[in-house]
Amino acid sequence: MSVNGVIAAYIHVRVMLEGRMPARQTSRPRARQTPKARSYHHGDLRRVLIDAALQLAAEGAEVSVREAARRAAVSPGAPFRHFPNRDALMAAVAGEAQRRFRAEIEGAMGEAPVADPLGRFRAFGLAYLRWAMRNPAHFEIISTGRYFAHGSSAELTRDNAELIALTERILAEAAEQGLLRPADLKRIQIAGRALVYGFARMNLDGHFPRWGVEEGEIERMAEGVIDLFIAGIAKP
Amino acid sequence: MSVNGVIAAYIHVRVMLEGRMPARQTSRPRARQTPKARSYHHGDLRRVLIDAALQLAAEGAEVSVREAARRAAVSPGAPFRHFPNRDALMAAVAGEAQRRFRAEIEGAMGEAPVADPLGRFRAFGLAYLRWAMRNPAHFEIISTGRYFAHGSSAELTRDNAELIALTERILAEAAEQGLLRPADLKRIQIAGRALVYGFARMNLDGHFPRWGVEEGEIERMAEGVIDLFIAGIAKP
DNA sequence: CCATTATGTAATCATCGATTACATTTGGAG
DNA sequence: CTCCAAATGTAATCGATGATTACATAATGG
């Protein structure tokens, strides 16, 4: 094993152990021709940290700053150059997850007929639940507010308000077209949201086994629950 | 300052810093006449730890084994004589909280007229939500399954199953009396639970500010949401 | 070209859950 | 009553984590 090999192995071990990438370049202090080669500065560490944290969450692992740093092959203190604390990182992660959530829902809404408010309402609920059940860790992060202070992610707040406004418009249309039994619209809106949120969280929090609902039945049950609710608010 | 004074001050500092209560008795190695005086053995540390943890949760603080030990004036390792790990402590805490939750709900149900299934269903939902909103930290612990492995608290599992069976009976009675629109009972049951669970968690997770619902309106909104749901499943 | 700023590293702290070896108490067998 | 074993608490220690500080290196713009 050459001297460089030994050094490389040493670096590898350190990377395995702690994820640190020593500043030492094996040769040529300035490798101009390969700007992609990891240099002392990372490139876009902020972005990479968010992605690493998202992936950690998706794997069901606990999101720790150090682990994200390890995956970015960077020292444990480096993330704090981009986020004042762990919560700020989580807020950024939540912002990204919420963006995807909103995109998914709005995509599904685009396929529902504009002229059918209750159909759109149903599509909203279904898209909401499908995403929540297929991205449980991300849904947890954006909904719980346990990982960072409320409102510390402007993106999350904005996208959330947008989704609330969307259901508000849909229900208003349904009411205008005389599709609803008489009831306070805000109450319907909140009840509907509580229903899907509660269903998503029952899944997330592992309640369904004790309700005797098998894994494969959950999506069908979600549909049934939404339909039950809509039948309850719709004019007979 | 006397020598004993110095020792007392030293002890005090250690208690302040780490919450440890040294075994050293200022005199009389065996104080028979006061069995309550803290001796080397604690008496019922297990119980005290659970209560300390419950109180920590109620204060909104993070529940840590060390902090519970501090409050019990015991060394950081002592709790592990009673709980194999942190999760086991949390499971015991959850068991205790769930016991209170069930007692509260069954108490409220006792006041509802037996002959009115839908009224009992409504009372169940209201009691559920009231307790959840007035004991947010306890509700969080018993519902989330984030603090300990599923099913590691037999008490929690049993009480939970009991509550599920209760709503099942109530709905069956309602159906027998012809009070319900035709629908799958299990679907109604799960939808109802998702509704109240979702509402409770929206409150817990701080969603209501962004829905424009003030603190004082929440209980009224809870009532409205439950009534909306019942009106939806009841035969017109 | 150089200085200012941005970004990463190294070293260090306090806290936490957990484990181990040791100390003290308690309770039962003889 | 005595003595020993089991139960229970203490002390010391480990590894992981979030966080902070001083320092090193790169990037940028006048």
Side-chain angles (χ1 to χ4, degrees):
Chain A
M1 190 184 258
S2 70
V3 170
N4 271 343
V6 169
I7 291 174
Y10 167 61
I11 290 174
H12 185 252
V13 166
R14 294 185 71 183
V15 168
M16 286 302 95
L17 288 177
E18 186 58 40
R20 228 176 320 161
M21 178 62 82
R24 187 182 184 288
Q25 214 70 346
T26 50
S27 60
R28 269 185 276 100
R30 313 198 56 187
R32 266 268 179 263
Q33 72 282 24
T34 56
K36 276 297 184 188
R38 184 69 49 69
S39 65
Y40 189 89
H41 280 191
H42 188 285
D44 193 359
L45 182 54
R46 180 188 166 86
R47 181 73 235 167
V48 172
L49 287 170
I50 293 175
D51 288 342
L54 272 169
Q55 199 180 343
L56 275 173
E59 291 168 12
E62 235 180 298
V63 178
S64 81
V65 177
R66 289 180 104 96
E67 182 60 30
R70 261 189 288 271
R71 301 215 172 179
V74 110
S75 79
F80 292 92
R81 290 288 178 189
H82 298 272
F83 305 97
N85 51 43
R86 188 193 117 106
D87 285 6
L89 169 59
M90 295 308 294
V93 170
E96 174 65 20
Q98 174 76 24
R99 194 187 57 72
R100 298 183 189 181
F101 183 42
R102 179 183 168 192
E104 175 101 354
I105 288 190
E106 294 188 339
M109 297 294 290
E111 297 175 8
V114 185
D116 176 14
L118 284 185
R120 282 166 66 80
F121 194 64
R122 182 177 190 278
F124 183 103
L126 270 182
Y128 184 106
L129 281 184
R130 289 223 176 93
W131 194 87
M133 297 193 293
R134 292 172 188 177
N135 306 273
H138 295 171
F139 186 78
E140 155 98 18
I141 291 175
I142 66 180
S143 59
T144 298
R146 187 180 301 106
Y147 304 105
F148 54 95
H150 288 3
S152 66
S153 166
E155 192 176 12
L156 187 149
T157 302
R158 174 175 44 73
D159 284 7
N160 228 310
E162 205 58 48
L163 290 182
I164 291 178
L166 180 54
T167 59
E168 199 171 346
R169 281 197 301 274
I170 295 177
L171 283 176
E173 286 177 34
E176 276 175 27
Q177 298 184 21
L179 301 174
L180 298 181
R181 304 167 68 177
D184 179 54
L185 286 192
K186 189 172 181 183
R187 181 179 293 183
I188 294 180
Q189 197 191 4
I190 289 182
R193 186 59 151 259
L195 185 79
V196 289
Y197 185 50
F199 193 94
R201 290 222 61 104
M202 285 177 76
N203 179 53
L204 211 64
D205 297 336
H207 290 198
F208 281 133
R210 55 190 195 227
W211 287 84
V213 177
E214 309 280 341
E215 181 70 26
E217 305 175 286
I218 298 184
E219 285 213 12
R220 194 153 36 83
M221 181 61 83
E223 208 170 327
V225 156
I226 291 174
D227 287 336
L228 179 74
F229 181 78
I230 293 181
I233 61 171
K235 184 168 285 181
Chain B
M1 191 182 260
S2 70
V3 170
N4 270 344
V6 168
I7 291 174
Y10 168 60
I11 290 172
H12 185 252
V13 165
R14 294 184 72 184
V15 169
M16 286 301 96
L17 289 177
E18 185 60 37
R20 230 175 321 162
M21 178 64 81
R24 186 183 184 286
Q25 214 72 342
T26 50
S27 61
R28 268 186 276 102
R30 310 198 60 184
R32 266 267 179 265
Q33 73 282 23
T34 56
K36 276 299 185 189
R38 185 71 48 71
S39 64
Y40 188 89
H41 279 188
H42 187 285
D44 193 359
L45 182 54
R46 181 188 164 85
R47 181 74 235 165
V48 172
L49 287 170
I50 293 177
D51 288 341
L54 272 169
Q55 198 179 347
L56 275 173
E59 291 168 10
E62 233 179 299
V63 178
S64 80
V65 177
R66 290 179 104 93
E67 182 60 28
R70 260 189 289 269
R71 301 216 173 178
V74 111
S75 80
F80 292 91
R81 290 287 178 189
H82 299 271
F83 304 97
N85 51 44
R86 190 193 114 105
D87 285 6
L89 170 59
M90 296 307 293
V93 170
E96 175 63 23
Q98 174 77 24
R99 195 188 56 73
R100 299 184 188 180
F101 183 41
R102 180 182 169 192
E104 174 101 355
I105 287 189
E106 294 187 338
M109 298 292 292
E111 298 175 7
V114 184
D116 176 13
L118 284 185
R120 282 166 65 81
F121 194 64
R122 183 177 189 277
F124 183 104
L126 269 181
Y128 184 106
L129 281 184
R130 287 222 178 94
W131 194 87
M133 298 193 292
R134 290 172 189 176
N135 306 274
H138 295 172
F139 186 79
E140 156 97 18
I141 291 175
I142 66 181
S143 59
T144 297
R146 186 180 300 104
Y147 304 106
F148 54 95
H150 288 3
S152 66
S153 165
E155 192 175 10
L156 187 148
T157 302
R158 173 174 45 73
D159 284 7
N160 229 310
E162 206 57 50
L163 290 182
I164 291 178
L166 180 54
T167 58
E168 198 172 346
R169 281 197 302 273
I170 294 176
L171 283 176
E173 286 177 33
E176 277 174 24
Q177 299 185 21
L179 302 172
L180 299 180
R181 304 167 68 177
D184 178 55
L185 286 191
K186 188 171 182 184
R187 181 180 291 183
I188 292 180
Q189 196 190 6
I190 289 181
R193 186 59 150 259
L195 185 79
V196 289
Y197 185 50
F199 194 93
R201 289 222 62 104
M202 284 177 76
N203 179 52
L204 211 65
D205 297 337
H207 290 196
F208 282 132
R210 55 192 197 227
W211 286 85
V213 178
E214 309 279 343
E215 182 69 26
E217 304 175 286
I218 297 184
E219 285 214 12
R220 192 152 38 83
M221 181 61 84
E223 209 170 326
V225 156
I226 290 174
D227 287 337
L228 179 73
F229 181 78
I230 293 182
I233 61 171
K235 184 167 287 181

